[in-house]
Amino acid sequence: MASKIRWIILLFLIFNLFLTGCALKHKIKYSVDDIQPQRNELLSGKILNIDLFEDIRSQFPENKILFEQPRETKINGERVCINSEDNYATEVIPVQITNMVVAHFKKRGTFGEVTIDGKGNTDFKLTGKIKRLYSKHTFSMAKAVGASFGLIGVLATFGIETPAEVEIIITDIKLYGKDGELIKTLNDVEERFNGNQKADAYCWSPYFLVDLKFRNVVENIANQVDRAVIEYGQRQ
């Protein structure tokens, strides 16, 4: 209970930073500490390079809102929070995503080495395209009013939940061999969520929801890569 209270107090202090106008930015990141190693003798001596993922979101009209609206906006008259591009860190989205993919693959430990945009001698290369990276969370007026009453208000409204949704699509995922040979075009990975989530008064929850669900996306890609490389090795 004490740890929960300390966590709530910390959240309150962080929220106050936002209220005072600090230009905080969000970086796509999730913890890889609990990812279990997936050792494989066939792959442990191989080097996998992950090329910078290509961002193609601007090609699709449904992503337009992320580039044109702030994180608190309205959709069909409803006040909502979205993961607006404005509040992501200066480092562009493809760099953030690719760095997270590399960190995830390294923690799994399937390959002997995982590099990013490597120019040297690698055994395999992975490429992909970011088609959709979207989250929407219904704004909570009760949560906003509670925040205006300080820590007491935050504690009183802590459990409020509102509808949220997430949609992430990584497409055109390709695995290449050492000589540039296309080994396999992997399945597109689509991660969707619809359900209630704890609201926050400052519209940062969509960013954290994307991070949470992106972890599932990367694990899916990693499993596909493992299988494709093993099948390739068996054919040689």
Side-chain angles (χ1 to χ4, degrees), residues 72 79 138-148 157 160 162 199-201:
E72 183 184 325
R79 196 172 175 185
T138 300
F139 183 83
S140 171
M141 181 58 72
K143 195 79 172 181
V145 171
S148 69
T157 59
I160 292 178
T162 57
D200 77 75

Side-chain angles (χ1 to χ4, degrees), residues 176-195:
Y176 296 89
K178 182 179 294 187
D179 57 357
E181 169 198 5
L182 176 62
I183 293 175
K184 188 172 185 179
T185 298
L186 307 181
N187 295 329
D188 290 355
V189 178
E190 302 183 8
E191 178 76 13
R192 292 182 175 86
F193 169 83
N194 281 279

Side-chain angles (χ1 to χ4, degrees), residues 119-174:
K119 306 300 181 184
N121 186 29
T122 60
D123 298 293
F124 301 99
K125 181 177 75 171
L126 179 69
T127 66
K129 296 179 181 179
I130 309 158
K131 181 178 179 180
R132 183 78 159 151
L133 193 73
Y134 174 78
S135 179
K136 180 183 76 172
H137 198 172
T138 300
F139 183 83
S140 171
M141 181 58 72
K143 195 79 172 181
V145 171
S148 69
F149 287 92
L151 181 56
I152 293 176
V154 171
L155 291 171
T157 59
F158 180 72
I160 292 178
E161 295 185 348
T162 57
E165 64 181 75
V166 177
E167 184 176 35
I168 302 172
I169 303 175
I170 304 296
T171 188
D172 201 22
I173 309 168
K174 297 182 184 295

Side-chain angles (χ1 to χ4, degrees), residues 9-204:
I9 292 173
L10 178 61
L11 279 179
F12 174 70
L13 293 174
I14 293 172
F15 289 158
N16 269 320
L17 287 176
F18 290 112
L19 286 175
T20 55
C22 292
L24 297 183
K25 297 286 187 177
H26 183 81
K27 186 173 184 178
I28 296 171
K29 190 173 184 180
Y30 55 82
S31 174
V32 298
D33 292 344
D34 61 340
I35 294 176
Q36 297 301 311
Q38 306 288 323
R39 308 295 183 191
N40 187 300
E41 291 184 3
L42 296 175
L43 307 181
S44 60
K46 304 297 184 182
I47 300 174
L48 171 68
N49 177 71
I50 300 178
D51 273 8
L52 192 69
F53 279 28
E54 182 183 351
D55 190 352
I56 60 171
R57 291 176 299 156
S58 62
Q59 299 176 20
F60 301 92
E62 60 267 30
N63 294 320
K64 187 177 180 181
I65 188 172
L66 297 174
F67 297 94
E68 296 184 352
Q69 296 296 320
R71 69 178 187 270
E72 183 184 325
T73 186
K74 286 187 176 182
I75 297 179
N76 297 325
E78 180 185 29
R79 196 172 175 185
V80 298
C81 306
I82 60 172
N83 61 318
S84 167
E85 201 78 4
D86 284 348
N87 290 107
Y88 274 113
T90 304
E91 198 173 53
V92 294
I93 292 295
V95 173
Q96 294 183 44
I97 279 184
T98 309
N99 284 337
M100 199 66 248
V101 173
V102 170
H104 191 125
F105 271 67
K106 284 184 174 180
K107 190 61 169 64
R108 290 176 98 250
T110 308
F111 291 88
E113 185 178 350
V114 181
T115 62
I116 181 170
D117 268 352
K119 306 300 181 184
N121 186 29
T122 60
D123 298 293
F124 301 99
K125 181 177 75 171
L126 179 69
T127 66
K129 296 179 181 179
I130 309 158
K131 181 178 179 180
R132 183 78 159 151
L133 193 73
Y134 174 78
S135 179
K136 180 183 76 172
H137 198 172
T138 300
F139 183 83
S140 171
M141 181 58 72
K143 195 79 172 181
V145 171
S148 69
F149 287 92
L151 181 56
I152 293 176
V154 171
L155 291 171
T157 59
F158 180 72
I160 292 178
E161 295 185 348
T162 57
E165 64 181 75
V166 177
E167 184 176 35
I168 302 172
I169 303 175
I170 304 296
T171 188
D172 201 22
I173 309 168
K174 297 182 184 295
L175 181 68
Y176 296 89
K178 182 179 294 187
D179 57 357
E181 169 198 5
L182 176 62
I183 293 175
K184 188 172 185 179
T185 298
L186 307 181
N187 295 329
D188 290 355
V189 178
E190 302 183 8
E191 178 76 13
R192 292 182 175 86
F193 169 83
N194 281 279
N196 288 337
Q197 289 287 303
K198 284 186 178 178
D200 77 75
Y202 307 104
C203 280
W204 289 98

